[in-house]
């Protein structure tokens, strides 16, 4: 059976997985599956500010380095995730009462330190993650509070100063055609129009309640690529439960949505994990067994479906 990696090479796209560092260090099956099947990685958590933090203002890059070194060894594309996010950052970054100058310094130092360290080794960065609120407008965060909407510009500008990676805006619930997808479209259109150095948009595509119609994903990818932006599917998973009834329906959806996104111009597809034993969805009650490999690392029908989608 063809690997995802072979099919992706033929289709001239990357197919990746989010990587859990503990599993990478301790589980041979995990490592072998990752290296054999995928040609791209995202650190699921290791490049977020919280896990990187070591005391006040310090950094410990051991976990993130392990992901990047594994990728180097296996000739994999690296998506860095995520420089600016309202979750998983160290407590000392609070409170939200910083002056604009102080917040700006903090933002710049963090981006310079992390994106600068991986210059030439991270190929794409999620520079700003999930900045659009579910009910519209920019999400209330300490960055918005201290710097106003301009914090988004500054984050991309600081990343462009120190990194040669492609710079992405990444969000969830903005995958197909929806009010939030329109908000994300408007946000990135405005960045492009004003010359802010954004190169792409990440559509997370976590599917566990409503099925996002593949045709809507295609339409969204098309309008974003029409802006001159790259589009990556960054966090794909499909929980069995509300959204799809069983492994066969899951496989069909994986096929249809990957084919739609890639045909419309998405050039990287990353699943949010390698195997069903390592997924954020089931513990939260958001569906079962959402990935391409089962807990024993056996290929599921969804694996063949993605290979087919990339081979057509
Ligand atoms: O590291 C601690 C560990 O020491 C402790 O024993 C364990 C007990 O619960 O918790 C561990 O931390 C957890 C961490 O994942 C590592 O497993 C955190 O509590 C937990 O909140 C964290 O969840 C991650 C979540 O982002 C928040 O950062 C998920 O793994 C990760 O899949 C999820 O990924 C996000 C993307 O970054 C952005 N888009 C949505 C996506 C899903 O929420």
């Amino acid at each position: 059976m063809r690997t995802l990696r072979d099919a992706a090479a033929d289709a001239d796209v990357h197919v990746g997985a989010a990587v859990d560092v503990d599993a990478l260090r301790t589980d041979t099956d995990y490592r072998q599956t990752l290296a054999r099947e995928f040609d791209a990685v995202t650190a699921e958590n290791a490049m977020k500010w919280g896990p990187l933090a070591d005391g006040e203002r310090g950094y410990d890059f051991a976990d993130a380095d392990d992901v990047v070194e594994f990728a180097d060894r296996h000739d994999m594309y690296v998506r860095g995730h995520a420089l600016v996010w309202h979750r998983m950052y160290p407590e000392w970054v609070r409170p939200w009462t910083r002056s604009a100058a102080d917040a700006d310094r903090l933002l710049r130092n963090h981006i310079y330190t992390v994106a600068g360290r991986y210059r030439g080794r991270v190929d794409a960065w999620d520079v700003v993650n999930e900045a659009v609120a579910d009910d519209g407008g920019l999400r209330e965060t300490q960055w918005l509070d201290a710097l106003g909407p301009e914090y988004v510009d500054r984050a991309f500008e600081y990343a462009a100063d120190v990194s040669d990676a492609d710079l992405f805006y990444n969000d969830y619930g903005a995958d197909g055609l929806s009010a939030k997808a329109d908000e994300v479209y408007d946000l990135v259109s405005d960045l492009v129009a004003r010359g802010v150095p954004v190169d792409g948009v990440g559509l997370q595509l976590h599917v566990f309640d409503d099925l996002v119609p593949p045709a809507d994903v295609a339409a969204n990818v098309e309008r974003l690529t029409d802006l001159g932006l790259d589009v990556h599917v960054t966090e794909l998973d499909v929980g069995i439960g509300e959204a799809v009834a069983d492994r066969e329906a899951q496989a069909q959806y994986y096929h249809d949505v990957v084919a739609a996104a890639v045909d419309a111009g998405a050039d990287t597809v990353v699943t949010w994990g390698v195997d069903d034993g390592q997924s954020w969805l089931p513990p939260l009650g958001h569906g079962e067994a959402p990935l391409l490999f089962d807990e024993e690392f056996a290929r599921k029908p969804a694996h063949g479906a993605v290979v087919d989608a990339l081979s057509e």
Side-chain angles (χ1 to χ4, degrees), residues 18 20 22 42-45 48 51 81-82 85 87-89 126 129-130 170-172 204 206 208 234-235 237 272-273 278-281 284 286:
D20 176 81
D22 288 340
T42 304
E44 183 174 1
N45 291 306
K48 295 170 183 172
H81 172 84
W85 194 28
R87 293 180 60 198
M88 240 189 176
Y89 57 83
D126 289 333
N129 192 39
E130 302 174 2
N170 188 52
D171 215 328
Y172 66 87
Q204 295 187 6
H206 294 293
F208 54 85
T234 52
E235 306 185 15
D237 43 23
W272 203 239
Q278 285 283 342
S279 164
W280 71 292
L281 282 176
L284 297 182
H286 292 330

Side-chain angles (χ1 to χ4, degrees), residues 7-26:
D10 289 350
D12 201 21
V13 300
H14 293 294
V15 64
V19 174
D20 176 81
V21 182
D22 288 340
L24 190 70
R25 289 200 180 118
T26 58

Side-chain angles (χ1 to χ4, degrees), residues 26-220:
T26 58
D27 190 331
T28 308
D29 290 335
Y30 185 94
R31 273 198 302 278
Q32 286 176 346
T33 306
L34 183 62
R36 184 188 71 236
E37 294 281 349
F38 297 94
D39 79 334
V41 290
T42 304
E44 183 174 1
N45 291 306
M47 289 188 183
K48 295 170 183 172
W49 196 342
L52 283 176
D54 186 17
E56 186 133 334
R57 291 176 194 268
Y59 287 87
D60 177 350
F61 288 104
D63 288 0
D65 282 355
D66 276 4
V67 175
V68 173
E69 276 155 24
F70 184 88
D72 278 350
R73 261 202 317 283
H74 297 282
D75 194 21
M76 298 166 106
Y77 181 89
V78 180
R79 295 198 85 268
H81 172 84
L83 294 171
V84 181
W85 194 28
H86 63 284
R87 293 180 60 198
M88 240 189 176
Y89 57 83
E91 271 307 308
W92 65 261
V93 170
R94 294 173 197 269
W96 289 25
T97 50
R98 279 174 205 284
S99 68
D102 194 19
D104 186 51
R105 231 180 345 260
L106 197 60
L107 185 71
R108 189 183 60 223
N109 285 345
H110 178 65
I111 293 173
Y112 275 23
T113 302
V114 180
R117 178 183 183 88
Y118 294 110
R119 184 185 179 91
R121 301 180 80 197
V122 163
D123 300 288
W125 269 111
D126 289 333
V127 176
V128 177
N129 192 39
E130 302 174 2
V132 171
D134 292 338
D135 56 359
L138 285 180
R139 186 187 296 279
E140 276 293 327
T141 68
Q142 62 184 330
W143 307 114
L144 184 68
D145 202 44
L147 296 168
E150 207 193 306
Y151 88 85
V152 175
D153 301 14
R154 295 201 190 172
F156 279 100
E157 285 159 5
Y158 294 146
D161 285 346
V162 294
S163 176
D164 50 10
D166 285 332
L167 306 179
F168 277 68
Y169 176 78
N170 188 52
D171 215 328
Y172 66 87
D175 315 303
L177 298 174
S178 62
K180 187 161 175 185
D182 290 346
E183 293 255 354
V184 167
Y185 178 80
D186 291 345
L187 173 72
V188 297
S189 303
D190 178 56
L191 296 177
V192 169
R194 290 186 296 105
V196 175
V198 58
D199 299 301
V201 175
L203 307 178
Q204 295 187 6
L205 252 174
H206 294 293
V207 178
F208 54 85
D209 43 18
D210 295 327
L211 270 192
V212 189
D216 288 4
V217 174
N220 197 27

